[in-house]
Amino acid sequence: MTTVSVALIYPDLLGTYGDGGNAMVLAQRLRWRRYEAEVVTVTAGQAVPDSCDLYVVGGGEDLPQALAAARLLESKALHRAVASGAAVLAVCAGLQILGEAFAGAGGEAIEGLGLLPCVTRISARPRAIGEILVRPAGRWSGLGLLTGFENHGALTTLLPGAAAAGHVLAGVGNEDGTGEGVVSGRIWGTYLHGPVLARNPRLADLLLSWVVGDLAPLDDAEPSALHDERTENGPGERRRAGGVLGAPALSWAKGHLGKLASQKFAKQPEVRQTESG
Amino acid sequence: MPPAVKLPARAHLAALAGAGVGALSRVTGRGGGSVVGGHVILALEPKALARFSAGRRVVLVSGTNGKTTTTKLLARALSSAGREEVITNATGANLSTGLAATLASGRPGATAVLEVDEAWLGLVAGEVEPAAIVLLNLSRDQLDRNNEVRQVAERWRRACGALRPGSVVVANADDPLVVWAAAVAADVRWVGAGLTWTSDACGCPRCGGEVHFGGGPQPASKEQARRRAAPGGWRCASCGFARPDPVIWLADDDLTGRDRDAGHVDQVNLDRIDLPGANLPGANLPDTNLPGANLPDADIRELGAAWAGHAGYAVEASGVVHEVALRLPGRCNQANAVVVLAAATSLGYGASGVLSAMAEVEEVAGRYATVRSGGTTARLLLAKNPAGWAEVFTMLTPPPGPVVVAINARTADGQDPSWLWDVPFERLRGRPVVATGERYLDLAVRLHYAEVEHACDPGLLSAIAASGPGRADVVANYTAFHQVLAATRSTGDDRARRGPREAGPREAGPREAGPREAGPREVADREADRGGAGKGGLL
């Protein structure tokens, strides 16, 4: 069996929010299924390979983001990999870089890689920070709910004809609390940190299935427990933090999660003292 | 010592009211009183920080990690070496409210040593006209609040540029972000305090280019080699922005090849000083991509032993070498002590008195304290971000010593615990590990993918007991740490050795120490309403 390679692109530039964990999740889920898997870490000074099977591009700060984009645009390695069928997970700054254009530190428009049908611009609104819950749209609805943590100042607008990957149930998402992320071919762009694949094992397996086909089930007791706990508690935490709830999310959350969440938070987690001896 | 300044009546009233409300908070068991008292003081006297700092010498301490310990070491050093009253916010109430309460409580003219939240440093420095500012390090922490660490560095830079003449900045030369901030100050004492976690400083703060650590040109002379002690230099490959020469730095006996008889450093083994893998961006990846995770246990033991229980050395550029003997464990505390030595001597205190005062400190707001739960004797360690964990790995009892890890994600912790994926937890393989805290599931999934066998127990005390009879290390992040402290102390099961009381409003004791009635989260939420959130301290 050939080795499946997962390229982690510029973790020194785009590694602010633990997104490198996505590469680890992908590789481990392959190994546990008896695939040979390797993570190829590509730091800023190294050439990006164009022959890997999966690429993970994470979130980062403004200046390193611009540097990363310039290098990827110059080498075109990611373009070549995509053209030959590689799968890509692009998170936050990664999503922005892969679009047609994104905003630099001073708000200026910077040319993106043009691999995703979106543009990103700065916003006068407060930074979108907090738990986010998404219901995948259309052909992705089989994934169940997606949970994550968003943290971005810029807003992403999809180009005409492009559809968001999911509907925002709690949080901001791309720009206004309605759509989140965008998928083009085998490129999944999202604002969800967490890391997103640690919280959403089914999304991890979707990306893997694009590369290796059908997958045997895994023991996902802990990842599933985390997914369910965050799905249940995340929206309540976002609301308590004064975050923005998407309009369609409000009624949904009230109906489905509000009750659960309020029960959860009426009783603050406490330090148990009874066990001490 | 500047002359004492007479306070206006309004400020007196504010101080009295704040002290009254704070006492009420303590008496009714609601908390330690400095935060709520500070709110009252600031409501009655918005310029409280400026008013109550007038006529005193104020030293501010800030940074992502080590603030509380450094503040305690410095306060102890100044009060002991200077034989004077020092007021300090010993429990880490480090926003404007806690600072106002601390400043209002002390005798006029008493020196103040204040820990300041890194996001608030500019505002506080503008009001109190500090005699010195101590800048330790900057790395990712509470990103939901601080967003980008570079933005914090820019705020520090503006604060340093606005300092009055006569203020001295004592800054870590090994942290490019700190250097970027401090370099604009008129009077800077650079300290080689080291930087174990470098992943937030790989992009040059000046030009965005790549910063290279450790490498660089070979030293041309023995003198240059000495100057590069404790971890090696750094330099931006694009613009040449580089580590300034420190006036004093940390060197360790084993790591420096120091010739005891000659009393100077002959040779520096730079490779041995950084924790292998901890500063590599791919440190959390499995197998071939994870240098740290695959370290043999023997190496980890050696690394831990390298800094446990024996002295480091503070080496001055002039050639003078001081032995730094501490009861506090770890490389990071040796580094904090060298920073304190630099700060205290720059204020005119004698080195020997400073060093002997620091040697007496054995616990800092519960850190390194020993507590009991069930049949387990647990040592408490605080680690709230990847940089803190890089230091904690060197302090852990060697395998197979059990480790309990407690993770919360309240406002004061940062609500996004994705930083867990930047910590090479693979190194915990081969030990009994228990995941606990309000976000134990996030940790459990991280350990699952790291293939670290572990148990889960959301109850803090039961988790400690579950680690088995005997000794265990408990590593907790900020609010989880205070919950552990509160829980163990309220059961009367506390075996912590307490140091002497600090001058100023020390908040200790079972009810104040923990967030049971009103935790750091609630306090910090209130601070958030005031325009910033963080360690609001303990109400």
Side-chain angles (χ1 to χ4, degrees), chain B residues 221-243:
Chain B
S221 64
K222 196 174 282 188
E223 174 66 18
Q224 270 196 15
R226 290 175 50 195
R227 282 169 183 265
R228 288 180 49 195
W234 53 265
R235 184 176 194 84
C236 171
S238 301
C239 73
F241 185 53
R243 181 204 200 206

Side-chain angles (χ1 to χ4, degrees), chain B residues 130-384:
Chain B
I133 295 185
V134 176
L135 302 178
L136 297 168
N137 50 64
L138 277 177
S139 68
R140 63 190 65 180
D141 185 45
Q142 299 182 57
L143 285 168
D144 56 305
R145 173 169 74 98
N146 288 329
N147 300 328
E148 302 184 352
V149 64
R150 244 150 263 271
Q151 294 174 3
V152 180
E154 287 299 334
R155 272 180 258 162
W156 277 17
R157 188 173 162 88
R158 286 196 292 276
C160 288
L163 287 174
R164 302 270 172 109
S167 292
V168 61
V169 175
V170 179
N172 184 0
D174 291 315
D175 187 333
L177 292 172
V178 169
V179 172
W180 171 246
V184 294
D187 185 2
V188 188
R189 310 289 164 93
W190 297 112
V191 182
L195 190 71
T196 307
W197 169 266
T198 56
S199 292
D200 288 309
C202 295
C204 176
R206 184 157 80 184
C207 75
E210 288 168 59
V211 173
H212 294 284
F213 288 88
Q218 286 299 308
S221 64
K222 196 174 282 188
E223 174 66 18
Q224 270 196 15
R226 290 175 50 195
R227 282 169 183 265
R228 288 180 49 195
W234 53 265
R235 184 176 194 84
C236 171
S238 301
C239 73
F241 185 53
R243 181 204 200 206
D245 283 342
V247 294
I248 188 169
W249 58 89
L250 170 67
D252 178 86
D253 197 25
D254 285 355
L255 304 177
T256 56
R258 177 175 176 272
D259 181 337
R260 284 172 195 272
D261 298 329
H264 66 267
V265 177
D266 272 340
Q267 168 197 345
V268 177
N269 184 346
L270 298 170
D271 301 333
R272 286 281 311 282
I273 296 174
D274 269 358
L275 188 61
N279 57 350
L280 297 176
N284 56 344
L285 298 170
D287 300 336
T288 53
N289 303 99
L290 182 60
N294 286 342
L295 271 183
D297 286 350
D299 283 0
I300 294 174
R301 262 196 298 279
E302 190 186 345
L303 279 165
W307 290 102
H310 68 84
Y313 294 87
V315 183
E316 293 187 27
S318 63
V320 176
V321 177
H322 308 275
E323 182 171 341
V324 181
L326 297 179
R327 294 186 193 183
L328 300 179
R331 190 214 70 88
C332 57
N333 286 322
Q334 299 270 350
N336 292 336
V338 174
V339 171
V340 167
L341 183 62
T345 51
S346 77
L347 293 168
Y349 294 81
S352 63
V354 169
L355 289 163
S356 57
M358 289 193 293
E360 294 168 9
V361 175
E362 54 191 355
E363 183 205 322
V364 180
R367 295 155 177 82
Y368 318 112
T370 302
V371 300
R372 291 179 62 85
S373 178
T376 308
T377 302
R379 182 175 58 146
L380 303 185
L381 299 167
L382 177 78
K384 47 195 177 120

Side-chain angles (χ1 to χ4, degrees), chain A residues 15-17 24 28-29 31-32 39 41 61 71 127 129 151 195 198 222 226 230 271-272 275-277, chain B residues 140 143-144 147 149-150 210 284-286 289 418 421 426 439 449 451 454 461-462 483 487 491 493:
Chain A
T16 307
Y17 302 97
M24 173 189 245
Q28 290 290 54
R29 296 181 75 81
R31 287 183 186 129
W32 290 336
V39 174
T41 301
E61 305 183 355
R71 298 209 166 164
R127 203 174 165 90
I129 305 172
N151 189 345
E222 284 180 325
L226 174 64
R230 286 292 89 205
V271 175
R272 294 183 194 172
E275 302 88 345
S276 76
Chain B
R140 63 190 65 180
L143 285 168
D144 56 305
N147 300 328
V149 64
R150 244 150 263 271
E210 288 168 59
N284 56 344
L285 298 170
N289 303 99
S418 64
W421 291 81
E426 288 77 4
R439 295 297 288 271
Y449 282 107
E451 297 183 327
H454 58 279
L461 290 179
S462 54
Q483 288 174 334
T491 61
D493 218 357

Side-chain angles (χ1 to χ4, degrees), chain B residues 1-40:
Chain B
M1 182 66 59
V5 171
K6 189 167 163 43
L7 287 172
R10 176 194 181 92
H12 266 304
L13 177 68
L16 282 173
V21 171
L24 198 63
S25 167
R26 278 187 292 275
V27 168
T28 57
R30 291 195 59 80
S34 68
V35 172
V36 65
H39 275 300
V40 171

Side-chain angles (χ1 to χ4, degrees), chain B residues 66-92:
Chain B
K67 295 186 283 288
T68 305
T69 300
T70 303
T71 299
K72 174 144 185 175
L73 291 172
L74 184 56
R76 184 68 66 85
L78 299 195
S79 65
S80 176
R83 292 192 180 80
E84 58 181 285
E85 184 188 340
V86 172
I87 58 175
T88 183
N89 50 342
T91 54

